Amino acid sequence: MATSKIFRKDILKDKVAFVTGGGSGICKGMAEAMIRHGAKAVITSRSQEKLDKAAEEMRKQTGGEILAVAADVRKPEEIVNVVEKAIERFGKIDILVNGAAGNFLAPAETLSYRAFRTVIEIDLLGTYNTTKACFPYLKRSKGCIINVSATLHYQSTLYQSHVSAAKAGIDALSRNLAAEWGPYSIRVNSIAPGPIAGTEGVAKLLPSFAAESATRNIPLQRMGTISDVEQATIFLASDAASFITGQIIVVDGGESLRKVGVLPYPESVINPTNFSKKLSVKL
Ligand code: NAP
Ligand code: COA
């Protein structure tokens, strides 16, 4: 259901949202939803071309104001540049969404040192870098942060050791910053989506042979939608959540309550070559 059927149209009027990973998938949805409810948005990721296309689509959909500037969240100087451009254009930042992330299925056994580091650098350090760069402005605006986490690390998820470690780190960072920055009236929360249909994450992580059983294992009996995450975003970004900080809103239809591994165990051990082909895992 569209957020506009539930929340007031101007609930985020005049707010400025800064969204990493905002050129595609879930975070594009989060940015667009906030614009629909009155915010202006800054979207950033590595590809300027992708951002420009996304910004154009969002302008058409919402008529809102969007600034699109490329940066790699692993490089603090690039993120600082986007923050400076955001301040030049809009004068403030009220809402930070840390959504930029990288992932692929890979058994820990074959993951290279650099592969593990890459995911930690994008997800965890990228979240810290962006948060740090935005902090002075969030302090001024008494703003809020929404980190995009996951549920992979609540128990364990095969072939996701790198991302599980990164997202667990993001959850720890969120709680600590919520405590440290509460006195500045900065709220820090996370959204932990389950499998969200039609996204790069699902395309990469949920092979088609496992999709049906994965859906059957979700208590609410469906995959999530980007719109499900948008609803949680508008709630957390708005004054409806003004006394909520340090929390993780799990948007997964109950999947993490009864996580059942949908990817096979023994095949990777018994027949690694075949396993690799089936999951497109680089071994
Ligand atoms: P997505 O569309 O691929 O989003 C990831 C975004 O991060 C892309 O826009 C990408 O853009 C950007 N990005 C990657 N590396 C970057 C870097 N070094 N610097 C700056 N930006 C970078 O995938 P998605 O599935 O919608 O995932 C969005 C978020 O939801 C992620 O945090 C993911 O972990 C989380 N999540 C997704 C699911 C799911 O079911 N899809 C489930 C749980 C959690 P560029 O390529 O232009 O850099
Ligand atoms: N399996 C195992 N290792 C992999 C891999 C895979 N499928 N894909 C990449 N790697 C390794 C690379 O081999 C490299 O390690 P090496 O130098 O030791 O060989 C390391 O990871 C970095 O890869 P590289 O392609 O240089 O990184 P990048 O910075 O260009 O891209 C990724 C980052 C790998 C995370 C890429 O998948 C990406 O850009 N993802 C963004 C979109 C996304 O993942 N969305 C889903 C979000 S849930």
Side-chain angles (χ1 to χ4, degrees), residues 20-27 44-48 50-51 71-74 79 98-103 122-123 148-152 163 167 191-197 199-202 205 226:
T20 73
S24 64
I26 293 174
C27 301
T44 185
S45 75
R46 293 164 302 176
S47 162
Q48 186 66 50
K50 179 167 156 183
L51 292 171
D72 187 326
V73 292
R74 290 170 286 192
I79 279 296
N98 283 305
N103 201 355
I122 301 172
D123 294 26
V148 183
S149 187
T151 62
L152 305 166
V163 180
K167 296 293 192 184
I191 293 175
I196 303 298
T199 61
E200 184 69 14
V202 159
L205 305 180
I226 292 178

Side-chain angles (χ1 to χ4, degrees), residues 24 46 50 72 74 99-107 110-116 118-119 122-123 160 162-163 167 199-202 204-205 280-283:
S24 64
R46 293 164 302 176
K50 179 167 156 183
D72 187 326
R74 290 170 286 192
N103 201 355
F104 43 80
L105 280 174
T110 57
L111 203 55
S112 73
Y113 292 102
R114 186 159 170 263
F116 189 88
T118 296
V119 170
I122 301 172
D123 294 26
Q160 289 286 270
H162 41 320
V163 180
K167 296 293 192 184
T199 61
E200 184 69 14
V202 159
K204 278 182 145 183
L205 305 180
S280 310
V281 173
K282 184 182 161 193
L283 290 173

Side-chain angles (χ1 to χ4, degrees), residues 80-153:
V80 166
N81 175 54
V82 188
V83 170
E84 282 169 357
K85 293 220 157 68
I87 297 302
E88 261 167 43
R89 171 81 175 266
F90 296 128
K92 61 174 187 156
I93 296 169
D94 300 287
I95 303 157
L96 165 62
V97 172
N98 283 305
N103 201 355
F104 43 80
L105 280 174
E109 186 181 340
T110 57
L111 203 55
S112 73
Y113 292 102
R114 186 159 170 263
F116 189 88
R117 195 177 67 228
T118 296
V119 170
I120 298 288
E121 277 179 350
I122 301 172
D123 294 26
L124 178 55
L125 297 186
T127 295
Y128 181 74
N129 294 340
T130 313
T131 301
K132 173 103 175 148
C134 290
F135 170 72
Y137 304 102
L138 292 167
K139 186 176 169 188
R140 198 178 291 165
S141 65
K142 300 186 193 304
C144 73
I145 301 173
I146 302 173
N147 292 323
V148 183
S149 187
T151 62
L152 305 166
H153 52 294

